[in-house]
Amino acid sequence: MTIVPIDLARTVAASECAAAGVTLVTPDSPSLLRSAAYLSVAALTPLTVAEARERVSLYVPSLVSDVAALIAGVTTLAPMLDKPAVIVGERAWSEGNVLAGVIGHELGHRRRDVATRGACGVVCSALWGVTYLAHPAVRLWEEGTCMTSDVTAAVILRDLAPDAAADEAQRALRSIYSADPASLAIGGDAIESCAASLRAGVLHGKGTAIESVLRALVARGWMPSTRWAKALA
Amino acid sequence: MMRALLVAAALVACGPVRNTLATVTPTVPASASCVDGAARCAAGVPESCRVYDGVARWWPLTPLTVDGGAAACGEVCVVDGTPARAHCATADAGVSP
């Protein structure tokens, strides 16, 4: 296994986001959208704004672009919200081996957004948004399945054992989302299932966003370990 | 306006209301008859049964493909271990029902 150079990881992050039709907002991007996003994160989680900027990456769904287009008072944000966005935290932007998992995670949310929008347009986007915020089990399920990208990246790119990667993800799930045990169990099931898949030597599902990111890294010259070379060939 | 927002917030914090929201939201799994903690493979997708607010659902455990469905395993999906867990595996691991 070779370390993923940060420039390579950033290039792949940009190309994968462009292919998914989202704006990539990095720590050195114009700060208004990032500031608004991290204030929201601090309001909804136990994290401070500084902790959120450091640790949290997030997906800004198409519904937010719709609302921004309708509200005249946010015209200063509008140019950055003309389409959905992935906002990358400071830590992820500085570590290539972490960034790949984060991009896979956030583009997993993008796929949910597209699927929901495709079902019945903006009405379904709004329904999903309200349900995500109101229903802890749905929120933790969505986050748990997307966190399987972080687990996969930790094993394949950082050479962590699957159990250690799962423990890391479970801690992150508990610390970021103040949720009840039943909701955490649903997110935790996805993480533990992913760890079991990786222990078995296979990716956790075919055609996922993290698989696309890993294949893009390989296509640009990154060499996976022998154990994972076949899966990513 | 503020009163309406507070009423709305109280309503969505109520189990039956949020379960109704989940039921009418596409891409949220439908309610099902299953036992909390059970595991299965459905069309090659690992799933676990969890009960929340008194409603059981089979929750797919993989992220989505670009087509918007839960990603099926590339080779096979199996159920094994204690507690039973559904996950992806190589073809020689066999296929679970």
Side-chain angles (χ1 to χ4, degrees):
Chain A
M1 186 192 70
T2 55
I3 298 293
V4 178
I6 186 63
D7 287 346
L8 173 60
R10 289 176 178 177
T11 299
V12 166
S15 65
E16 292 292 301
C17 286
V22 304
T23 302
L24 178 63
V25 180
T26 65
D28 49 7
S29 298
S31 64
L32 194 53
L33 175 59
R34 294 185 69 245
S35 298
Y38 285 125
L39 283 171
S40 303
V41 171
L44 294 169
T45 72
L47 301 178
T48 65
V49 173
E51 289 169 336
R53 281 179 178 277
E54 163 74 17
R55 293 173 49 191
V56 175
S57 299
L58 66 153
Y59 173 66
V60 181
S62 49
L63 183 64
V64 175
S65 313
D66 299 333
V67 173
L70 290 174
I71 302 173
V74 295
T75 49
T76 50
L77 277 174
M80 287 172 280
L81 284 174
D82 60 337
K83 57 184 179 179
V86 167
I87 300 177
V88 180
E90 290 165 358
R91 181 186 168 216
W93 192 241
S94 65
E95 294 182 34
N97 291 3
V98 175
L99 181 58
V102 164
I103 293 300
H105 178 134
E106 302 307 335
L107 292 183
H109 291 309
R110 168 62 176 162
R111 289 178 176 191
R112 173 79 56 192
D113 190 15
V114 171
T116 308
R117 176 65 61 113
C120 60
V122 69
V123 172
C124 282
S125 290
L127 266 176
W128 171 259
V130 171
T131 304
Y132 175 93
L133 292 173
H135 201 303
V138 171
R139 182 165 63 251
L140 271 290
W141 168 58
E142 170 72 357
E143 294 302 334
T145 54
C146 286
M147 272 195 174
T148 63
S149 289
D150 304 283
V151 174
T152 301
V155 170
I156 297 179
L157 302 179
R158 293 162 53 205
D159 210 20
L160 248 60
D163 287 348
D167 287 347
E168 187 178 83
Q170 296 274 23
R171 282 195 301 275
L173 201 67
R174 285 194 298 270
S175 70
I176 295 173
Y177 305 97
S178 48
D180 55 275
S183 300
L184 284 168
I186 294 170
D189 283 347
I191 290 168
E192 296 303 329
S193 175
C194 177
S197 298
L198 295 167
R199 271 197 304 276
V202 297
L203 295 175
H204 189 56
K206 184 174 176 58
T208 62
I210 185 62
E211 181 180 0
S212 178
V213 170
L214 292 169
R215 288 185 183 280
L217 289 171
V218 171
R220 286 173 166 80
W222 174 73
M223 297 282 289
S225 67
T226 309
R227 178 174 172 79
W228 293 105
K230 185 181 168 192
L232 297 172
Chain B
M1 178 66 176
M2 183 56 74
R3 179 179 292 181
L5 285 173
L6 288 173
V7 169
L11 278 175
V12 296
C14 164
V17 172
R18 62 189 179 197
N19 271 326
T20 301
L21 270 174
T23 299
V24 299
T25 303
T27 79
V28 173
S31 59
S33 261
C34 57
V35 178
D36 190 75
R40 74 173 185 182
C41 296
V45 177
E47 295 185 344
S48 70
C49 175
R50 289 293 176 184
V51 179
Y52 194 86
D53 280 344
V55 176
R57 300 175 197 272
W58 283 108
W59 301 91
L61 301 177
T62 52
L64 301 184
T65 66
V66 76
D67 296 329
C73 294
E75 295 187 37
V76 296
C77 174
V78 299
V79 178
D80 60 18
T82 307
R85 193 173 299 289
H87 63 92
C88 300
T90 54
D92 58 9
V95 183
S96 287

